[in-house]
């Protein structure tokens, strides 16, 4: 891991861009720390540059609660080499949505599974590198991002102790199977009126999770409309399980 | 309204039993107040005597957050005169549940609607009496209880500014119609694995609510298993709308 830039943000937060091999990422840590802090991985839909303002805002909140926050670019997104098969699947999906046709399991698998297969080991390598820093310590949490990536990562990476996930749609069947095998505590957000989201599938996914502690918080509004007042229960969820 | 007993509880809370006509009730207020506090009505399934320990625990939490808390006995419950038609409907319901048969709309209406019709004006009279006390001021919130009573009361009583409801089952169709006309902010709790609860009906009821601000918090476990960590979001919900 190489740090490529460094700046101080409001509230005494240190933001550092890094590369891990070919993968760009961002790390946010408290500007001054006495003891190592737990790590929360900030998920996103891809496109670090475009997402930076929202990610930085989430990171400031996360660091203020006493964690380090980090994220990496998704495979095929931002400045990373395109993934032709995923781009094709995305075009197929957009065509289906525009035509008002159902999005088939085949399209979802072609869109999501290559991302999951490539992203999860990358996130694990990122966790390796970050936990090697003296200012960061386990356990590790996941907050948001592509649902299928979060589920796989939570399942295969034992250092993940808690996950805050969005009950997204476009979830392949295999993710439901993995969800059933999850046992870590989960805090799940659902936007009840999300046009791009199949509500019933999201509820089915919540039902499928094998975890004994799982909570669903549903609110009105679309994809980006999670109300401000949901940040507090999310903070408390992580405080219960990462501290 | 006549106060019939008075005692001090832990945390400087004054618990007073009262009667309003024939209806017994309990009021909890801060032991020492400088300014009048808003009121939260504590709902319950009926049987004040049996419910008292749980109600008092909820009331202590409510008063600690800066409210008065009050409750009254339901029609036909506790020491109040039985309601023969409701008792019959309850026996029919228990018979159906034991036999594994569906509970019909007819049984639900006979069980719930007479309670709603009688209880709602009683709660309104209670609000009248309580708001006349110098130590209590509006606005008023509802917390829990029989869902159909909460919905009707929130709909017809303009002093109700916010309601925390359980997404219960045994909800008659007319309650769905009333739910669609509700506009006040709602915080809805659902126990995902509640054996006695039809989850799909509960989700349909949440969907039906007309309120622009409505939040669903679903957790694992049965009817009485709402986790302790859900009290904080509930408190914050009332703080946003009653203060």
């Amino acid at each position: 891991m190489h740090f490529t830039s460094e700046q101080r943000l409001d509230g005494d937060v240190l933001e550092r861009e890094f590369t891990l091999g070919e993968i760009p990422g961002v790390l946010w840590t408290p500007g001054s720390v006495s003891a190592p802090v737990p790590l929360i991985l900030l998920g996103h839909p891809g496109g670090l540059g475009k997402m930076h303002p929202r990610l930085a805002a989430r990171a400031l909140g996360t660091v203020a609660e006493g964690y380090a926050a980090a994220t990496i670019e998704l495979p095929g997104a931002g400045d990373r080499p395109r993934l032709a098969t995923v781009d094709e699947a995305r075009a197929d999906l957009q065509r289906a949505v525009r035509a008002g046709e159902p999005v088939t399991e085949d399209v979802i698998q072609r869109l999501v599974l290559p991302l999951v297969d490539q992203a999860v080991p990358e996130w694990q390598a990122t966790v390796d590198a970050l936990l090697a820093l003296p200012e960061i310590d386990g356990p590790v949490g996941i907050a948001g991002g592509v649902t299928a990536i979060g589920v796989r990562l939570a399942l295969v990476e034992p250092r993940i102790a808690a996950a805050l996930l969005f009950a997204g749609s476009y979830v392949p069947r295999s993710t439901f199977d993995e969800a059933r095998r999850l046992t870590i505590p989960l805090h799940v957000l659902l936007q009840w009126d999300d046009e791009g989201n199949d509500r019933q599938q999201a509820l089915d996914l919540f039902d499928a999770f094998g975890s004994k502690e799982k909570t669903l918080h549903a609110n009105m509004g679309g994809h980006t409309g999670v109300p401000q007042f949901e940040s507090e229960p999310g903070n408390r969820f992580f405080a219960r399980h990462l501290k």
Side-chain angles (χ1 to χ4, degrees), chain A:
Chain A
M1 189 167 65
H2 296 285
F3 290 110
T4 55
S5 80
E6 171 173 330
Q7 65 171 320
R8 301 250 154 202
L9 306 181
D10 286 349
D12 197 24
V13 173
L14 182 63
E15 177 183 276
R16 283 175 280 180
E17 295 183 305
F18 63 83
T19 55
L20 187 77
E22 308 286 306
I23 312 160
V26 190
L27 170 64
W28 296 268
T29 48
S32 45
V33 265
S34 43
V37 290
L39 172 65
I40 294 181
L41 305 173
L42 303 185
H44 57 84
L48 268 193
K50 203 181 52 186
M51 292 296 298
H52 183 268
R54 278 165 60 196
L55 283 165
R58 288 166 59 197
L60 285 178
T62 304
V63 173
E65 292 293 318
Y67 307 97
T71 194
I72 53 173
E73 184 59 279
L74 288 191
D79 297 332
R80 298 188 63 184
R82 311 300 307 170
L83 295 176
T85 57
V86 170
D87 285 346
E88 263 169 50
R90 189 178 292 109
D92 290 345
L93 180 141
Q94 286 163 350
R95 219 165 7 243
V97 168
R98 272 197 306 270
E101 289 164 8
V103 178
T104 62
E105 173 71 16
D106 166 66
V107 169
I108 294 172
Q109 289 185 6
R110 286 191 288 120
L111 177 70
V112 176
L113 291 186
L115 277 186
V116 173
D117 290 342
Q118 189 175 335
V120 167
E122 292 177 353
W123 283 97
Q124 290 184 285
T126 306
V127 169
D128 288 341
L130 293 172
L131 291 187
L133 297 174
E135 61 267 42
I136 301 177
D137 202 356
V140 181
I142 297 173
V146 176
T147 308
I149 294 177
V151 170
R152 171 81 64 83
L153 182 59
L155 186 64
V156 302
E157 175 48 66
R159 291 169 294 188
I160 305 290
L164 185 157
L165 299 174
F166 289 94
S169 53
Y170 306 139
V171 172
R173 266 185 228 124
S174 57
T175 299
F176 279 79
D177 297 333
E178 292 169 356
R180 286 189 191 90
R181 291 156 53 203
L182 265 189
T183 56
I184 61 165
L186 299 174
H187 184 86
V188 181
L189 294 176
L190 171 62
Q191 288 301 93
W192 198 253
D193 284 338
D194 193 341
E195 330 68 42
N197 205 343
D198 179 334
R199 187 196 300 159
Q200 189 55 52
Q201 195 188 43
L203 292 169
D204 290 346
L205 182 64
F206 177 73
D207 194 43
F209 286 126
S211 306
K212 224 159 60 186
E213 181 180 334
K214 57 178 178 181
T215 297
L216 178 74
H217 284 194
N219 289 281
M220 303 314 292
H223 197 62
T224 57
V226 177
Q228 184 54 38
F229 60 73
E230 283 296 356
S231 61
E232 181 67 23
N235 289 339
R236 286 177 176 261
F237 167 74
F238 283 124
R240 286 201 300 282
H241 300 293
L242 299 185
K243 285 188 170 171

